[in-house]
Amino acid sequence: MRKFLTALIVIPLGLILVVFAVANRHIVTVSFDPFVSDDPSFSVTMPLFLLLILAAALGVLAGGCAVWFGQRHWRRAARRNDADARAARGELADLRAQAAAVKSEPQRLPVPSGVGLYGPVGRDKQRATL
């Protein structure tokens, strides 16, 4: 199902990208020199579709970096919580091992003579004679 959904999205997106590239084949010059417009010292000549695709890719990369840096607090908290959980699991395993080693027959107190579970022998809860 996942491959089908991926193909359902990637194939039309690829077709749109190819149509866009064919429609925008014009050559443009991109200049990074704001002071000299006639003969810029640093300029790049490339097809328009390549410029637009590179700008979109750069935007996606910048957005991904911004989100990644913005979520560093949550990643740090997740690492800390994971370490705490591992330590707690280790302590629990140690306590269970200690409890298993100490576990023995529970000690019972002797029953006083002449007194049953509910009081004197021969009487029920309401102290009626049996």
Side-chain angles (χ1 to χ4, degrees), residues 11-105:
I11 291 173
L13 190 61
L15 288 174
I16 290 171
L17 193 61
V18 168
V19 169
F20 177 76
V22 170
N24 294 291
R25 293 177 292 177
H26 309 293
I27 301 296
V28 293
T29 301
V30 179
S31 172
F32 294 101
D33 188 1
F35 302 112
V36 180
S37 60
D38 297 337
D39 187 25
S41 60
F42 184 68
S43 64
V44 178
T45 303
M46 64 179 72
L48 179 61
F49 74 89
L50 185 61
L51 174 68
L52 294 175
I53 291 173
L54 287 175
L58 187 65
V60 168
L61 184 66
C65 288
V67 168
W68 188 74
F69 282 119
Q71 292 178 347
R72 70 182 181 273
H73 170 73
W74 302 112
R75 288 192 308 275
R76 186 180 309 129
R79 282 192 304 270
R80 189 178 314 122
N81 291 339
D82 186 45
D84 290 344
R86 287 175 192 243
R89 284 189 197 109
E91 289 178 24
L92 179 62
D94 292 342
L95 290 173
R96 283 184 177 165
Q98 289 175 359
V102 173
K103 193 171 190 174
S104 63
E105 183 66 29

Coordinates of all heavy atoms in Angstrom, one line a residue, residues 11-105:
I11 N 4.9 9.9 -9.3 CA 4.7 10.0 -10.8 C 4.1 11.2 -11.3 O 4.6 11.9 -12.2 CB 4.0 8.7 -11.2 CG1 4.9 7.5 -11.0 CG2 3.5 8.8 -12.7 CD1 4.2 6.1 -11.3
P12 N 2.9 11.7 -10.7 CA 2.4 13.0 -11.2 C 3.3 14.2 -10.9 O 3.4 15.1 -11.7 CB 1.1 13.1 -10.4 CG 0.7 11.8 -10.0 CD 2.0 11.0 -9.8
L13 N 4.0 14.1 -9.7 CA 4.9 15.2 -9.4 C 6.1 15.3 -10.4 O 6.5 16.3 -10.8 CB 5.4 15.0 -8.0 CG 6.2 16.2 -7.4 CD1 5.3 17.4 -7.3 CD2 6.7 15.8 -6.0
G14 N 6.6 14.1 -10.8 CA 7.6 14.0 -11.8 C 7.1 14.5 -13.1 O 7.9 15.3 -13.8
L15 N 5.9 14.2 -13.5 CA 5.4 14.7 -14.8 C 5.2 16.2 -14.8 O 5.5 16.8 -15.8 CB 4.1 14.0 -15.1 CG 4.1 12.5 -15.5 CD1 2.7 11.9 -15.6 CD2 4.9 12.4 -16.8
I16 N 4.7 16.7 -13.7 CA 4.6 18.2 -13.6 C 5.9 18.8 -13.7 O 6.1 19.9 -14.3 CB 3.9 18.5 -12.3 CG1 2.4 18.1 -12.3 CG2 4.0 20.0 -12.0 CD1 1.7 18.2 -11.0
L17 N 7.0 18.3 -13.0 CA 8.3 18.8 -13.1 C 8.9 18.8 -14.5 O 9.5 19.8 -14.9 CB 9.2 18.1 -12.1 CG 10.5 18.7 -11.8 CD1 10.4 20.0 -11.1 CD2 11.3 17.7 -10.9
V18 N 8.6 17.7 -15.2 CA 9.1 17.7 -16.6 C 8.4 18.7 -17.5 O 9.1 19.4 -18.3 CB 9.0 16.2 -17.2 CG1 9.2 16.2 -18.7 CG2 9.9 15.3 -16.4
V19 N 7.1 18.8 -17.4 CA 6.4 19.8 -18.2 C 6.8 21.2 -17.8 O 7.0 22.0 -18.7 CB 4.8 19.6 -17.9 CG1 4.0 20.8 -18.5 CG2 4.4 18.3 -18.5
F20 N 7.1 21.5 -16.5 CA 7.6 22.8 -16.1 C 8.9 23.1 -16.7 O 9.2 24.2 -17.2 CB 7.6 22.8 -14.6 CG 8.2 24.1 -14.1 CD1 7.4 25.2 -14.0 CD2 9.5 24.1 -13.6 CE1 7.9 26.4 -13.5 CE2 10.0 25.3 -13.1 CZ 9.2 26.4 -13.0
A21 N 9.8 22.1 -16.7 CA 11.1 22.3 -17.3 C 11.1 22.5 -18.8 O 11.8 23.4 -19.3 CB 12.0 21.0 -17.0
V22 N 10.2 21.8 -19.5 CA 10.1 22.0 -21.0 C 9.6 23.4 -21.3 O 10.0 24.0 -22.2 CB 9.3 20.9 -21.6 CG1 9.0 21.2 -23.0 CG2 10.0 19.5 -21.5
A23 N 8.6 23.8 -20.5 CA 8.0 25.1 -20.7 C 8.8 26.3 -20.4 O 8.6 27.4 -20.9 CB 6.6 25.2 -20.0
N24 N 9.8 26.1 -19.5 CA 10.7 27.2 -19.0 C 12.1 27.0 -19.3 O 13.0 27.0 -18.4 CB 10.5 27.4 -17.5 CG 9.1 27.9 -17.2 OD1 8.7 29.0 -17.5 ND2 8.3 27.0 -16.6
R25 N 12.5 26.8 -20.6 CA 13.8 26.5 -21.0 C 14.6 27.7 -21.3 O 15.8 27.7 -21.6 CB 13.8 25.6 -22.3 CG 13.3 24.3 -22.1 CD 13.2 23.5 -23.4 NE 12.2 24.2 -24.2 CZ 11.9 23.8 -25.4 NH1 12.6 22.9 -26.0 NH2 11.0 24.5 -26.1
H26 N 14.1 28.9 -21.1 CA 14.8 30.2 -21.4 C 16.0 30.3 -20.5 O 15.9 30.0 -19.4 CB 13.8 31.4 -21.3 CG 12.5 31.2 -22.0 ND1 12.5 31.1 -23.4 CD2 11.3 31.0 -21.6 CE1 11.2 31.0 -23.7 NE2 10.5 30.9 -22.6
I27 N 17.0 30.9 -21.1 CA 18.3 31.1 -20.4 C 18.1 32.5 -19.7 O 17.8 33.5 -20.3 CB 19.5 31.1 -21.3 CG1 19.6 29.8 -22.0 CG2 20.8 31.4 -20.5 CD1 19.9 28.6 -21.1
V28 N 18.5 32.5 -18.4 CA 18.5 33.7 -17.6 C 19.8 33.9 -16.9 O 20.6 32.9 -16.7 CB 17.4 33.7 -16.5 CG1 16.0 33.8 -17.1 CG2 17.5 32.6 -15.5
T29 N 20.2 35.2 -16.6 CA 21.4 35.5 -15.9 C 21.1 35.9 -14.5 O 20.3 36.9 -14.4 CB 22.2 36.5 -16.7 OG1 22.5 36.1 -18.0 CG2 23.5 36.8 -16.0
V30 N 21.6 35.3 -13.6 CA 21.4 35.6 -12.2 C 22.7 36.3 -11.7 O 23.8 35.8 -11.8 CB 21.1 34.4 -11.3 CG1 20.9 34.8 -9.9 CG2 19.9 33.6 -11.9
S31 N 22.5 37.6 -11.2 CA 23.6 38.4 -10.8 C 23.6 38.5 -9.3 O 22.5 38.8 -8.7 CB 23.6 39.7 -11.4 OG 24.6 40.6 -10.9
F32 N 24.8 38.4 -8.6 CA 24.9 38.6 -7.2 C 25.6 39.9 -6.9 O 26.1 40.1 -5.8 CB 25.6 37.4 -6.5 CG 24.7 36.2 -6.6 CD1 25.0 35.2 -7.6 CD2 23.7 36.0 -5.8 CE1 24.2 34.1 -7.7 CE2 22.9 34.9 -5.8 CZ 23.2 33.9 -6.8
D33 N 25.8 40.8 -7.9 CA 26.5 42.1 -7.7 C 25.4 43.2 -7.8 O 25.0 43.5 -8.9 CB 27.5 42.2 -8.8 CG 28.4 43.4 -8.6 OD1 28.2 44.1 -7.6 OD2 29.3 43.6 -9.4
P34 N 25.0 43.8 -6.7 CA 24.0 44.8 -6.8 C 24.4 46.2 -7.3 O 23.6 47.0 -7.6 CB 23.5 44.9 -5.3 CG 24.7 44.6 -4.5 CD 25.4 43.5 -5.3
F35 N 25.8 46.4 -7.4 CA 26.3 47.7 -7.8 C 26.5 47.9 -9.3 O 26.3 48.9 -9.8 CB 27.5 48.0 -7.0 CG 27.3 48.0 -5.5 CD1 27.9 47.0 -4.8 CD2 26.5 48.9 -4.9 CE1 27.7 46.9 -3.4 CE2 26.3 48.9 -3.5 CZ 26.9 47.9 -2.8
V36 N 26.9 46.8 -10.0 CA 27.2 46.9 -11.4 C 26.2 45.9 -12.1 O 26.3 44.7 -12.0 CB 28.7 46.4 -11.7 CG1 28.9 46.5 -13.2 CG2 29.7 47.2 -10.9
S37 N 25.3 46.5 -12.8 CA 24.3 45.7 -13.5 C 24.7 45.4 -14.9 O 24.2 44.4 -15.5 CB 22.9 46.4 -13.5 OG 23.0 47.7 -14.2
D38 N 25.5 46.2 -15.6 CA 25.9 45.9 -16.9 C 26.9 44.7 -17.1 O 26.7 43.8 -17.9 CB 26.6 47.1 -17.6 CG 25.7 48.3 -17.6 OD1 24.5 48.1 -17.6 OD2 26.2 49.5 -17.7
D39 N 27.9 44.7 -16.2 CA 28.9 43.6 -16.3 C 29.2 43.2 -14.8 O 30.2 43.6 -14.2 CB 30.2 44.1 -16.9 CG 31.2 43.0 -17.1 OD1 30.7 41.8 -17.2 OD2 32.4 43.2 -17.1
P40 N 28.3 42.3 -14.3 CA 28.4 41.9 -12.9 C 29.7 41.0 -12.7 O 30.0 40.3 -13.6 CB 27.2 41.2 -12.6 CG 26.6 40.7 -13.9 CD 27.1 41.7 -14.9
S41 N 30.3 41.2 -11.5 CA 31.5 40.4 -11.3 C 31.2 39.0 -11.0 O 32.0 38.1 -11.3 CB 32.3 41.0 -10.2 OG 31.5 41.0 -9.0
F42 N 30.0 38.7 -10.4 CA 29.7 37.3 -10.1 C 28.2 37.1 -10.6 O 27.3 37.6 -10.0 CB 29.8 37.0 -8.6 CG 29.5 35.6 -8.3 CD1 30.3 34.6 -8.7 CD2 28.3 35.3 -7.6 CE1 30.0 33.3 -8.4 CE2 28.0 33.9 -7.3 CZ 28.9 32.9 -7.7
S43 N 28.1 36.4 -11.7 CA 26.8 36.1 -12.2 C 26.8 34.6 -12.7 O 27.9 34.0 -13.0 CB 26.5 37.0 -13.3 OG 27.4 36.8 -14.4
V44 N 25.6 34.1 -12.8 CA 25.5 32.7 -13.3 C 24.4 32.7 -14.4 O 23.3 33.3 -14.2 CB 25.0 31.8 -12.1 CG1 24.8 30.4 -12.6 CG2 26.1 31.8 -11.0
T45 N 24.7 32.0 -15.5 CA 23.7 31.9 -16.5 C 23.2 30.4 -16.5 O 24.0 29.5 -16.6 CB 24.3 32.2 -17.9 OG1 24.9 33.5 -17.8 CG2 23.3 32.1 -19.0
M46 N 21.9 30.3 -16.4 CA 21.3 29.0 -16.4 C 19.8 29.0 -16.9 O 19.2 30.1 -17.0 CB 21.3 28.5 -14.9 CG 20.4 29.3 -14.0 SD 20.4 28.7 -12.3 CE 22.0 29.1 -11.7
P47 N 19.3 27.9 -17.2 CA 17.9 27.8 -17.6 C 17.0 28.2 -16.4 O 17.3 28.0 -15.3 CB 17.6 26.4 -18.0 CG 18.9 25.8 -18.1 CD 19.9 26.5 -17.3
L48 N 15.8 28.9 -16.8 CA 14.9 29.4 -15.8 C 14.4 28.3 -14.9 O 14.2 28.4 -13.7 CB 13.7 30.1 -16.5 CG 12.7 30.7 -15.6 CD1 13.3 31.7 -14.6 CD2 11.5 31.3 -16.4
F49 N 14.0 27.1 -15.5 CA 13.5 26.0 -14.7 C 14.5 25.5 -13.6 O 14.1 25.2 -12.5 CB 13.0 24.9 -15.5 CG 14.1 24.0 -16.1 CD1 14.6 22.9 -15.4 CD2 14.6 24.3 -17.4 CE1 15.6 22.1 -16.0 CE2 15.6 23.5 -17.9 CZ 16.1 22.4 -17.2
L50 N 15.8 25.5 -14.0 CA 16.8 25.1 -13.0 C 16.9 26.1 -11.9 O 17.0 25.7 -10.7 CB 18.1 24.9 -13.8 CG 19.3 24.4 -12.9 CD1 18.9 23.0 -12.4 CD2 20.5 24.3 -13.8
L51 N 16.8 27.4 -12.2 CA 16.9 28.4 -11.2 C 15.7 28.2 -10.2 O 15.9 28.3 -9.0 CB 16.8 29.8 -11.8 CG 16.7 31.0 -10.9 CD1 18.0 31.1 -10.1 CD2 16.4 32.2 -11.6
L52 N 14.5 28.0 -10.7 CA 13.3 27.9 -9.9 C 13.4 26.6 -9.0 O 13.0 26.6 -7.8 CB 12.1 28.0 -10.7 CG 11.8 29.3 -11.4 CD1 10.6 29.2 -12.3 CD2 11.6 30.4 -10.4
I53 N 13.9 25.5 -9.6 CA 13.9 24.3 -8.9 C 15.0 24.4 -7.8 O 14.8 23.9 -6.7 CB 14.2 23.1 -9.8 CG1 13.0 22.9 -10.7 CG2 14.6 21.9 -9.1 CD1 13.2 21.8 -11.8
L54 N 16.1 25.0 -8.1 CA 17.2 25.2 -7.1 C 16.7 26.1 -5.9 O 17.0 25.9 -4.8 CB 18.4 25.8 -7.7 CG 19.3 24.9 -8.6 CD1 20.4 25.6 -9.2 CD2 19.8 23.7 -7.7
A55 N 15.9 27.2 -6.3 CA 15.4 28.1 -5.3 C 14.4 27.3 -4.4 O 14.4 27.5 -3.1 CB 14.7 29.3 -5.9
A56 N 13.6 26.5 -4.9 CA 12.6 25.7 -4.1 C 13.4 24.7 -3.3 O 13.1 24.5 -2.1 CB 11.7 24.9 -5.1
A57 N 14.4 24.0 -3.8 CA 15.2 23.1 -3.0 C 15.9 23.8 -1.9 O 16.0 23.2 -0.7 CB 16.2 22.3 -3.9
L58 N 16.4 24.9 -2.1 CA 17.1 25.7 -1.1 C 16.1 26.1 0.0 O 16.4 26.1 1.2 CB 17.8 27.0 -1.7 CG 18.6 27.8 -0.7 CD1 19.8 26.9 -0.3 CD2 19.1 29.0 -1.4
G59 N 14.9 26.5 -0.4 CA 13.8 26.8 0.6 C 13.5 25.6 1.4 O 13.3 25.7 2.7
V60 N 13.4 24.4 0.8 CA 13.0 23.2 1.6 C 14.2 22.9 2.5 O 13.9 22.5 3.7 CB 12.8 22.0 0.6 CG1 12.7 20.7 1.4 CG2 11.5 22.3 -0.2
L61 N 15.4 23.0 2.1 CA 16.5 22.8 3.0 C 16.6 23.8 4.1 O 16.8 23.4 5.3 CB 17.8 22.8 2.1 CG 19.1 22.5 2.9 CD1 19.1 21.0 3.3 CD2 20.3 22.8 2.0
A62 N 16.4 25.0 3.9 CA 16.4 26.0 4.9 C 15.2 25.8 5.9 O 15.4 25.9 7.1 CB 16.3 27.4 4.3
G63 N 14.1 25.4 5.4 CA 12.9 25.1 6.3 C 13.2 23.9 7.2 O 12.9 23.9 8.4
G64 N 13.8 22.9 6.6 CA 14.1 21.7 7.3 C 15.1 22.0 8.4 O 15.0 21.5 9.5
C65 N 16.1 22.8 8.1 CA 17.1 23.2 9.1 C 16.5 24.0 10.3 O 16.8 23.7 11.4 CB 18.3 23.9 8.5 SG 19.4 22.9 7.5
A66 N 15.6 24.9 9.9 CA 14.9 25.7 10.9 C 14.1 24.8 11.8 O 14.1 25.0 13.1 CB 14.1 26.8 10.2
V67 N 13.4 23.9 11.3 CA 12.6 23.0 12.1 C 13.4 22.1 13.0 O 13.2 21.9 14.1 CB 11.6 22.1 11.2 CG1 11.0 21.0 12.0 CG2 10.6 23.0 10.6
W68 N 14.5 21.6 12.4 CA 15.4 20.7 13.2 C 16.0 21.5 14.3 O 16.1 20.9 15.4 CB 16.5 20.2 12.2 CG 17.4 19.2 12.8 CD1 17.1 17.9 13.1 CD2 18.7 19.3 13.3 NE1 18.1 17.2 13.7 CE2 19.2 18.1 13.8 CE3 19.6 20.4 13.3 CZ2 20.4 17.9 14.3 CZ3 20.9 20.2 13.9 CH2 21.3 19.0 14.4
F69 N 16.5 22.7 14.1 CA 17.0 23.5 15.2 C 15.9 23.9 16.2 O 16.2 23.9 17.4 CB 17.7 24.8 14.7 CG 19.1 24.5 14.2 CD1 19.4 24.8 12.8 CD2 20.1 24.0 15.0 CE1 20.6 24.5 12.3 CE2 21.4 23.7 14.4 CZ 21.6 24.0 13.1
G70 N 14.7 24.1 15.7 CA 13.6 24.5 16.6 C 13.2 23.3 17.5 O 12.7 23.5 18.6
Q71 N 13.4 22.1 17.1 CA 13.0 20.9 17.9 C 14.1 20.3 18.8 O 13.9 19.3 19.3 CB 12.5 19.9 17.0 CG 11.2 20.3 16.3 CD 10.7 19.2 15.3 OE1 11.4 18.3 15.0 NE2 9.5 19.3 14.9
R72 N 15.2 21.0 18.9 CA 16.3 20.5 19.6 C 16.0 20.3 21.1 O 16.4 19.3 21.8 CB 17.6 21.3 19.5 CG 17.5 22.7 20.2 CD 18.8 23.5 19.9 NE 18.8 24.7 20.6 CZ 18.2 25.8 20.0 NH1 17.7 25.8 18.8 NH2 18.2 27.0 20.7
H73 N 15.1 21.1 21.6 CA 14.7 21.0 23.0 C 13.9 19.7 23.2 O 14.2 19.0 24.2 CB 13.8 22.2 23.4 CG 13.1 22.0 24.7 ND1 13.7 22.1 25.9 CD2 11.8 21.7 25.0 CE1 12.9 21.9 26.9 NE2 11.7 21.6 26.4
W74 N 13.1 19.3 22.3 CA 12.3 18.1 22.4 C 13.2 16.9 22.3 O 13.0 15.8 22.9 CB 11.1 18.1 21.4 CG 10.3 19.3 21.6 CD1 10.1 20.3 20.8 CD2 9.4 19.5 22.7 NE1 9.2 21.2 21.3 CE2 8.8 20.8 22.5 CE3 9.2 18.9 23.9 CZ2 7.9 21.4 23.4 CZ3 8.3 19.5 24.8 CH2 7.7 20.7 24.6
R75 N 14.2 16.9 21.4 CA 15.1 15.8 21.2 C 15.9 15.6 22.5 O 16.1 14.5 22.9 CB 16.0 16.0 20.0 CG 15.3 15.8 18.7 CD 16.2 15.8 17.5 NE 17.2 16.9 17.5 CZ 17.0 18.1 16.9 NH1 15.8 18.3 16.4 NH2 17.9 19.0 17.0
R76 N 16.4 16.7 23.1 CA 17.1 16.6 24.3 C 16.3 16.0 25.4 O 16.8 15.1 26.2 CB 17.6 18.0 24.7 CG 18.6 18.0 25.9 CD 19.1 19.4 26.3 NE 19.6 20.1 25.1 CZ 19.2 21.3 24.8 NH1 18.3 22.0 25.5 NH2 19.8 22.0 23.8
A77 N 15.0 16.5 25.5 CA 14.2 15.9 26.6 C 13.9 14.4 26.3 O 13.8 13.7 27.3 CB 12.8 16.7 26.6
A78 N 13.7 14.0 25.1 CA 13.5 12.6 24.8 C 14.7 11.8 25.1 O 14.6 10.7 25.7 CB 13.2 12.5 23.3
R79 N 15.9 12.3 24.9 CA 17.1 11.5 25.2 C 17.2 11.4 26.8 O 17.6 10.4 27.3 CB 18.4 12.2 24.7 CG 18.6 12.0 23.2 CD 20.0 12.4 22.8 NE 20.3 13.8 23.1 CZ 20.1 14.8 22.3 NH1 19.5 14.6 21.1 NH2 20.3 16.1 22.6
R80 N 16.9 12.5 27.5 CA 17.0 12.5 28.9 C 15.9 11.5 29.5 O 16.3 10.7 30.4 CB 16.7 13.9 29.5 CG 17.0 14.0 30.9 CD 16.8 15.4 31.5 NE 17.4 16.5 30.6 CZ 16.7 17.5 30.0 NH1 15.4 17.6 30.2 NH2 17.4 18.3 29.3
N81 N 14.7 11.5 29.0 CA 13.7 10.6 29.4 C 14.0 9.2 29.1 O 13.8 8.3 29.9 CB 12.3 11.0 28.8 CG 11.8 12.3 29.4 OD1 12.2 12.7 30.4 ND2 10.9 12.9 28.6
D82 N 14.7 9.0 28.0 CA 15.1 7.6 27.6 C 16.1 7.1 28.6 O 16.1 5.9 29.1 CB 15.6 7.6 26.2 CG 15.9 6.2 25.7 OD1 15.1 5.3 26.0 OD2 17.0 6.0 25.1
A83 N 17.1 8.0 29.0 CA 18.1 7.6 29.9 C 17.5 7.3 31.3 O 17.9 6.3 32.0 CB 19.2 8.7 30.0
D84 N 16.6 8.1 31.7 CA 15.9 7.9 33.0 C 15.1 6.6 33.0 O 15.1 5.9 34.0 CB 14.9 9.1 33.3 CG 15.7 10.4 33.6 OD1 16.9 10.3 33.9 OD2 15.0 11.4 33.6
A85 N 14.4 6.3 31.9 CA 13.7 5.1 31.8 C 14.6 3.8 31.8 O 14.3 2.8 32.5 CB 12.9 5.0 30.5
R86 N 15.8 3.9 31.2 CA 16.7 2.8 31.2 C 17.3 2.6 32.6 O 17.4 1.5 33.1 CB 17.9 3.1 30.2 CG 17.5 2.9 28.8 CD 18.7 3.3 27.9 NE 18.2 3.4 26.5 CZ 18.6 2.6 25.6 NH1 19.5 1.7 25.8 NH2 18.2 2.8 24.3
A87 N 17.6 3.7 33.3 CA 18.0 3.6 34.7 C 17.0 3.0 35.6 O 17.3 2.1 36.4 CB 18.5 5.0 35.2
A88 N 15.7 3.4 35.4 CA 14.6 2.9 36.2 C 14.4 1.4 35.9 O 14.2 0.6 36.9 CB 13.3 3.6 36.0
R89 N 14.5 1.0 34.7 CA 14.4 -0.4 34.4 C 15.5 -1.3 35.0 O 15.3 -2.4 35.5 CB 14.4 -0.6 32.9 CG 13.2 -0.3 32.2 CD 13.2 -0.7 30.7 NE 12.1 0.0 30.0 CZ 12.3 1.0 29.1 NH1 13.5 1.3 28.8 NH2 11.3 1.6 28.5
G90 N 16.7 -0.7 35.0 CA 17.9 -1.4 35.7 C 17.6 -1.5 37.2 O 17.9 -2.6 37.8
E91 N 17.2 -0.4 37.8 CA 16.9 -0.5 39.2 C 15.8 -1.5 39.5 O 15.9 -2.2 40.5 CB 16.5 0.9 39.8 CG 17.6 1.9 39.8 CD 17.1 3.3 40.3 OE1 16.1 3.3 41.0 OE2 17.8 4.2 40.0
L92 N 14.8 -1.5 38.7 CA 13.7 -2.5 38.9 C 14.2 -3.9 38.8 O 13.8 -4.8 39.6 CB 12.6 -2.2 37.9 CG 11.4 -3.1 37.9 CD1 10.6 -3.0 39.3 CD2 10.4 -2.8 36.8
A93 N 15.0 -4.2 37.8 CA 15.6 -5.5 37.7 C 16.4 -5.9 38.9 O 16.3 -7.0 39.4 CB 16.4 -5.6 36.4
D94 N 17.2 -4.9 39.4 CA 18.0 -5.2 40.6 C 17.1 -5.5 41.8 O 17.3 -6.4 42.6 CB 18.9 -4.0 40.9 CG 20.0 -3.9 39.9 OD1 20.3 -4.8 39.2 OD2 20.6 -2.8 39.9
L95 N 16.0 -4.7 42.0 CA 15.1 -4.9 43.1 C 14.4 -6.2 43.0 O 14.1 -6.9 44.0 CB 14.1 -3.7 43.2 CG 14.7 -2.4 43.6 CD1 13.6 -1.3 43.5 CD2 15.2 -2.5 45.1
R96 N 14.0 -6.6 41.8 CA 13.3 -7.9 41.6 C 14.2 -9.0 41.9 O 13.8 -10.0 42.5 CB 12.8 -8.0 40.2 CG 11.5 -7.2 39.9 CD 11.0 -7.4 38.5 NE 9.7 -6.7 38.4 CZ 9.1 -6.5 37.2 NH1 9.7 -6.9 36.1 NH2 8.0 -5.8 37.2
A97 N 15.5 -8.9 41.5 CA 16.5 -10.0 41.8 C 16.7 -10.1 43.3 O 16.8 -11.2 43.9 CB 17.8 -9.7 41.1
Q98 N 16.8 -8.9 44.0 CA 16.9 -8.9 45.5 C 15.7 -9.6 46.1 O 15.8 -10.3 47.1 CB 17.1 -7.5 46.0 CG 18.5 -6.9 45.7 CD 18.6 -5.5 46.2 OE1 17.6 -4.9 46.7 NE2 19.8 -4.9 45.9
A99 N 14.5 -9.2 45.6 CA 13.3 -9.7 46.2 C 13.2 -11.2 46.0 O 12.7 -12.0 46.9 CB 12.0 -9.0 45.6
A100 N 13.6 -11.7 44.9 CA 13.6 -13.1 44.6 C 14.5 -13.9 45.5 O 14.3 -15.0 46.0 CB 13.9 -13.4 43.2
A101 N 15.7 -13.3 45.8 CA 16.7 -13.9 46.7 C 16.2 -14.0 48.1 O 16.5 -14.9 48.9 CB 18.0 -13.2 46.6
V102 N 15.5 -12.9 48.6 CA 15.1 -12.8 49.9 C 13.7 -13.6 50.2 O 13.4 -13.9 51.3 CB 14.9 -11.3 50.3 CG1 14.3 -11.2 51.7 CG2 16.3 -10.7 50.3
K103 N 13.0 -13.8 49.1 CA 11.7 -14.3 49.2 C 11.7 -15.7 49.9 O 12.5 -16.6 49.5 CB 11.1 -14.5 47.8 CG 9.6 -14.8 47.9 CD 9.0 -14.7 46.5 CE 7.5 -14.7 46.6 NZ 6.9 -14.5 45.3
S104 N 11.0 -15.9 51.0 CA 10.9 -17.1 51.7 C 9.5 -17.3 52.2 O 8.6 -16.5 51.9 CB 11.9 -17.2 52.8 OG 11.6 -16.2 53.7
E105 N 9.3 -18.3 52.9 CA 8.0 -18.6 53.5 C 7.6 -17.4 54.4 O 8.4 -17.1 55.3 CB 8.0 -19.9 54.2 CG 6.6 -20.3 54.8 CD 5.6 -20.6 53.8 OE1 5.9 -21.0 52.7 OE2 4.4 -20.3 54.1

